[in-house]
Amino acid sequence: MVKGRRAIGLMGGTFNPIHYGHLVAAEAARDAFDLDQVIFIPSGQPPHKSEVFVANPEHRYLMTFLAIVSNQRFEIARVEIDRSGPSYTSDTLSYFNSVDSTVAWYFITGADAILDIVTWHDPESIFRHAQLIAASRPGYSLKKIQALERQLGPESIARVHPLEVPALAISSSQIRERLKQGLSIKYLVPEAVEHYIAKNHVYGALKA
Ligand code: ATP
Ligand code: MG
């Protein structure tokens, strides 16, 4: 296949902490859409998460870096961490488009996040600047995407691509809860992330 434009995936998240669910979804999207790379973008100050404990951005950046470093096609960007104020995906996608408008940008989300997208800041701008890959996630149905058509219109919905990915019922909330209870997080996150959390007490005093 002769490929024209470069295609790059953008995987946004709080990554509080990053886990195998994020990595599997990103790799499945890279493979299915023949993406040249996937850039992980840890959020700065997440606009939706004021009620939960969010580890300091530098810890989340370093954990994400440790998780992706061994994949040749995974990269990480500090754009949201270095921007002051709330991290809006619309600003991030507009930023990447201004860096290179010849690239086909794909924003990767899980099935839960895609259904929320209408509540995010400036959804029209999100759809203008990227196509969306909606990865399946245990507990959430990709079938509900069709219901977004009423709110977003047919043009936007045509830019959403559902993708079945290997099902991993892992969430960062569950990992934080396990850490709080002194339970193991082995095999839920990459080993380097597990060690980083323990060494730096990212989520309090933890089991090693
Ligand atoms: P939290 O429980 O704190 O919300 P999370 O596990 O949902 O954490 P986020 O950082 O909120 O992780 O998610 C970043 C992106 O990754 C979102 O688009 C989310 O839908 C997707 N995602 C997270 N976990 C999975 C998973 N297990 N399978 C598929 N997609 C996932
Ligand atoms: Mg989440």
Side-chain angles (χ1 to χ4, degrees):
M1 183 178 82
V2 180
K3 216 168 104 174
R5 298 167 79 187
R6 284 202 327 134
I8 298 180
L10 300 171
M11 177 87 193
T14 316
F15 304 133
N16 182 35
I18 190 159
H19 53 69
Y20 279 124
H22 299 126
L23 295 164
V24 161
E27 181 67 2
R30 195 195 63 67
D31 228 6
F33 289 82
D34 201 15
L35 305 176
D36 295 286
Q37 50 177 303
V38 175
I39 306 175
F40 285 70
I41 310 164
S43 65
Q45 210 179 298
H48 294 114
K49 300 208 171 175
S50 48
E51 73 289 356
V52 300
F53 174 75
V54 180
N56 146 339
E58 295 303 334
H59 277 326
R60 291 185 291 107
Y61 175 85
L62 285 172
M63 292 188 287
T64 306
F65 176 82
L66 290 171
I68 59 111
V69 69
S70 59
N71 187 321
Q72 294 261 11
R73 292 189 181 269
F74 283 0
E75 300 288 341
I76 182 167
R78 292 185 60 90
V79 51
E80 291 198 356
I81 287 179
D82 289 345
R83 198 165 59 212
S84 57
S87 293
Y88 291 127
T89 297
S90 54
D91 291 342
T92 303
L93 299 182
S94 141
Y95 163 77
F96 279 103
N97 266 271
S98 71
V99 170
D100 193 340
S101 62
T102 68
V103 167
W105 296 102
Y106 287 85
F107 185 65
I108 305 165
T109 73
D112 57 320
I114 191 79
L115 296 175
D116 273 355
I117 218 152
V118 280
T119 68
W120 293 9
H121 181 71
D122 204 352
E124 286 79 17
S125 161
I126 294 179
F127 282 90
R128 213 172 34 250
H129 289 121
Q131 300 194 61
L132 278 87
I133 299 173
S136 56
R137 181 173 188 180
Y140 303 91
S141 169
L142 280 178
K143 292 205 185 90
K144 292 196 185 147
I145 291 176
Q146 283 317 315
L148 291 177
E149 180 157 356
R150 224 170 353 105
Q151 287 142 300
L152 294 168
E155 276 151 43
S156 292
I157 218 71
R159 289 168 68 77
V160 180
H161 309 285
L163 177 69
E164 285 297 331
V165 307
L168 292 183
I170 307 175
S171 71
S172 302
S173 320
Q174 171 204 30
I175 290 168
R176 294 192 303 274
E177 190 51 41
R178 292 183 67 82
L179 289 168
K180 209 159 121 189
Q181 295 178 16
L183 299 170
S184 165
I185 60 165
K186 233 180 233 312
Y187 313 124
L188 299 176
V189 302
E191 208 170 338
V193 173
E194 180 198 339
H195 292 163
Y196 182 96
I197 291 172
K199 178 173 174 184
N200 297 286
H201 309 292
V202 179
Y203 298 98
L206 309 167
K207 208 176 141 157

